[in-house]
Amino acid sequence: MSGSAYATLAGTRRLGPPTASRRSEYPLGVVAGAFTLAQLVLVRPGLGLGWDETVYVSQLSAHAPAAFFSAPRARGISLLVAPVTSWSSSTTLLRVYLAALSGLALFLALRAWRGLFPVRVLALAGALFASLWVTLLYGLQAMPNYWVAVGALAAAGCCLRARADRSDRAALWGLVASASLMAWMRPTDAVWVTLPLLAFLVAVRHWRLLVALLAGLASGAAEWVIEAYVSYGGLTQRLHEASAIEGGLGWNVAVLDQLRSLGGRALCRPCTGEMPNPAVDVWWLVLPVLAVVGLVVAIRARRTAVTLVPLACAATAAFPYLFMIGYAAPRFLLPAYALVAIPVADALIHLVTRPTGAWRRVAVTVLAIGLAGHLAIQLAVLERTVSRTNTQHRDWSRTAAELHRLGVRKPCLLTGQDAIPIAFYTGCASAATGGHNANTSRTTLDRTARRMPVAAITPVGSRPPAYARDWPAHRYGGLDLRVSPSTEGGDDG
């Protein structure tokens, strides 16, 4: 076994012949290319920017002023999209850029596992992860969760490879880079993901790898920590504010919330309403069972570490989102899905290759039918979710067009309901006097309204904020648009 793709970590110096590693890259490239193409065809580059995306994109955007940046957020995704957003306002160009980049990242993350598992396991794992509706939807979005996922997958693979072969410098630097990527995107998620890696490296006393992992985390999180002291009153205060925005972190079972969100709810907060069709949730319930099967297979084959490490990382990555917050979003579990995909793929291949004769044909048929049904369900949920998302984004765009008609143009400021995304679509700044995004006061808004157009957005019939009570109101759809009297250039016709 020492020269095979299933080589054990103990006492292994080489993970397989170089020719096998080179051959393994072709199927992985096909999976990554198909993932990029599927995003462009099924989600489509014309998808408008979502709420959180407008916050991240606006930080380094030529289109609109930077939106308020709350404590939990990190600037990694803003920097990742800056090569496009710093000079272009084209959402289509941004989507194509992110789709291509996400496909490349998936290829590199799977490639990090070469020599640890056969190519067929890695290719199937990549296909399983890439075909989830939530992966397809968020791969080309300016959101950090997918990038934490591929960083986590790469980090675990590089760690195990470098542990098995101390001369593998590519794996060593890959561990640094992938850990940095995770912390760059979401520092707190990076800590949860890497807890098992840290424990593993301490247990085996591999201090060089431990230093590399810590260096990667530190380099990625440095900006977030520095910003905590510059803008949030210190690291402890920023963590406290982040916890408050998340609803107060503590023991809170959110497993059912995650199940409710699998029907295509981007954010389930508060997470009420009926469960989706049971067929939508089947894969999620089967996933841990297959993960256990994969672990049993690995133990029997005496290659426990290469399966146990990603499963442990998946468990710690999922833990805070299943047991510590009071709401759910499917994207939160992307790192766990990426990590568990390899053991699950290993289990599936074992289940169809171990039987012989007629039983093998039965196993292959059952697996093919199951995967086909799973893919059909994922695509159906994706289609509904994309349609619903497009409707919301079109509403924001139309509201922005109406505000332009009323004379609200750059430089301008919006407050009220959905002010952050609508402001980005309008090209305005956004502000709030209360809530988690509070960044101004009534006095400041009064002064601002004397020198630029300011609009307050409220639901039809609701009580307007005090500073906008006397402003002219314009009803548009289900909204009242109150525009400051000093605004000029509107066209009432």
Side-chain angles (χ1 to χ4, degrees):
M1 292 289 289
S2 61
S4 73
Y6 275 95
T8 57
L9 289 176
T12 303
R13 301 302 296 174
R14 293 288 178 184
L15 298 175
T19 53
S21 294
R22 285 196 294 270
R23 286 197 303 270
S24 71
E25 296 181 9
Y26 295 108
L28 305 185
V30 170
V31 170
F35 174 54
T36 292
L37 183 62
Q39 293 177 81
L40 296 176
V41 172
L42 300 174
V43 182
R44 294 179 290 277
L47 181 72
L49 296 179
W51 180 304
D52 291 290
E53 286 188 288
T54 62
V55 175
Y56 290 119
V57 170
S58 69
Q59 303 305 306
L60 295 170
S61 172
H63 178 68
F68 177 75
F69 207 74
S70 60
R73 302 186 188 276
R75 298 187 182 273
I77 195 68
S78 299
L79 295 173
L80 185 72
V81 301
V84 173
T85 61
S86 59
W87 61 273
S88 173
S89 60
S90 171
T91 302
T92 298
L93 179 60
L94 177 62
R95 297 295 187 211
V96 173
Y97 165 76
L98 285 173
L101 205 59
S102 62
L104 175 62
L106 179 61
F107 169 75
L108 293 175
L110 292 171
R111 187 174 180 268
W113 287 82
R114 68 186 188 277
L116 297 172
F117 285 91
V119 59
R120 59 185 180 180
V121 172
L122 300 180
L124 178 58
L128 291 173
F129 175 62
S131 62
L132 294 176
W133 73 263
V134 64
T135 310
L136 287 164
L137 182 62
Y138 286 100
L140 51 54
Q141 291 199 40
M143 296 287 285
N145 311 88
Y146 173 82
W147 299 97
V148 176
V150 291
L153 184 61
C158 288
C159 180
L160 290 167
R161 274 181 47 210
R163 159 69 177 137
D165 184 359
R166 291 176 180 269
S167 66
D168 192 342
R169 297 182 63 84
L172 177 66
W173 286 108
L175 176 61
V176 175
S178 51
S180 183
L181 174 65
M182 285 190 289
W184 195 36
M185 293 294 169
R186 288 186 70 89
T188 52
D189 282 10
V191 171
W192 282 102
V193 168
T194 56
L195 282 176
L197 294 182
L198 294 168
F200 173 67
L201 294 176
V202 170
V204 298
R205 299 184 179 182
H206 203 309
W207 310 122
R208 182 184 179 208
L209 279 183
L210 181 63
V211 170
L213 177 56
L214 292 173
L217 293 173
S219 63
E223 187 279 331
W224 196 83
V225 174
I226 292 171
E227 187 180 40
Y229 288 97
V230 172
S231 304
Y232 296 92
L235 182 59
T236 302
Q237 182 61 28
R238 184 169 195 175
L239 291 171
H240 175 75
E241 289 185 23
S243 175
I245 290 173
E246 302 292 350
L249 298 180
W251 184 253
N252 193 359
V253 179
V255 175
L256 293 180
D257 293 344
Q258 284 291 344
L259 281 169
R260 286 190 179 93
S261 72
L262 290 177
R265 299 176 67 174
L267 182 64
C268 197
R269 185 178 190 181
C271 206
T272 56
E274 297 181 357
M275 287 284 187
N277 188 306
V280 172
D281 292 338
V282 166
W283 73 271
W284 203 81
L285 300 174
V286 170
L287 198 63
V289 176
L290 290 174
V292 171
V293 172
L295 181 58
V296 171
V297 170
I299 293 173
R300 289 179 176 177
R302 296 184 180 179
R303 47 182 174 80
T304 306
V306 294
T307 296
L308 183 59
V309 166
L311 286 179
C313 291
T316 56
F319 181 82
Y321 295 113
L322 292 177
F323 301 106
M324 293 185 66
I325 62 174
Y327 65 100
R331 66 180 184 272
F332 292 164
L333 296 182
L334 276 172
Y337 298 151
L339 287 159
V340 81
I342 290 179
V344 166
D346 192 27
L348 290 174
I349 288 177
H350 176 81
L351 291 174
V352 298
T353 57
R354 183 178 181 183
T356 58
W359 285 110
R360 175 173 291 187
R361 290 192 292 272
V362 171
V364 171
T365 301
V366 170
L367 177 62
I369 293 173
L371 290 179
H374 168 68
L375 181 60
I377 291 170
Q378 294 300 307
L379 294 180
V381 174
L382 178 66
E383 182 181 4
R384 291 198 304 268
T385 305
V386 170
S387 176
R388 184 168 57 248
T389 302
N390 270 320
T391 298
Q392 183 183 50
H393 295 174
R394 282 194 294 267
D395 288 343
W396 290 341
S397 182
R398 290 166 181 162
T399 303
E402 178 66 9
L403 287 167
H404 284 157
R405 190 186 71 81
L406 295 172
V408 181
R409 298 186 179 89
K410 299 181 184 180
C412 48
L413 180 72
L414 301 188
T415 68
Q417 178 170 303
D418 291 343
I420 288 178
I422 295 175
F424 183 87
Y425 279 72
T426 312
C428 300
S430 58
T433 58
H436 296 310
N437 295 313
N439 61 347
T440 192
S441 64
R442 175 181 174 179
T443 302
T444 302
L445 283 175
D446 287 337
R447 287 200 303 266
T448 303
R450 298 190 193 104
R451 58 183 177 85
M452 71 169 65
V454 177
I457 305 171
T458 57
V460 167
S462 66
R463 185 177 181 179
Y467 57 81
R469 196 165 297 157
D470 297 327
W471 294 358
H474 307 267
R475 181 163 296 183
Y476 179 75
L479 300 173
D480 282 334
L481 309 177
R482 288 179 167 79
V483 181
S484 59
S486 60
T487 301
E488 297 179 355
D491 179 7
D492 294 329

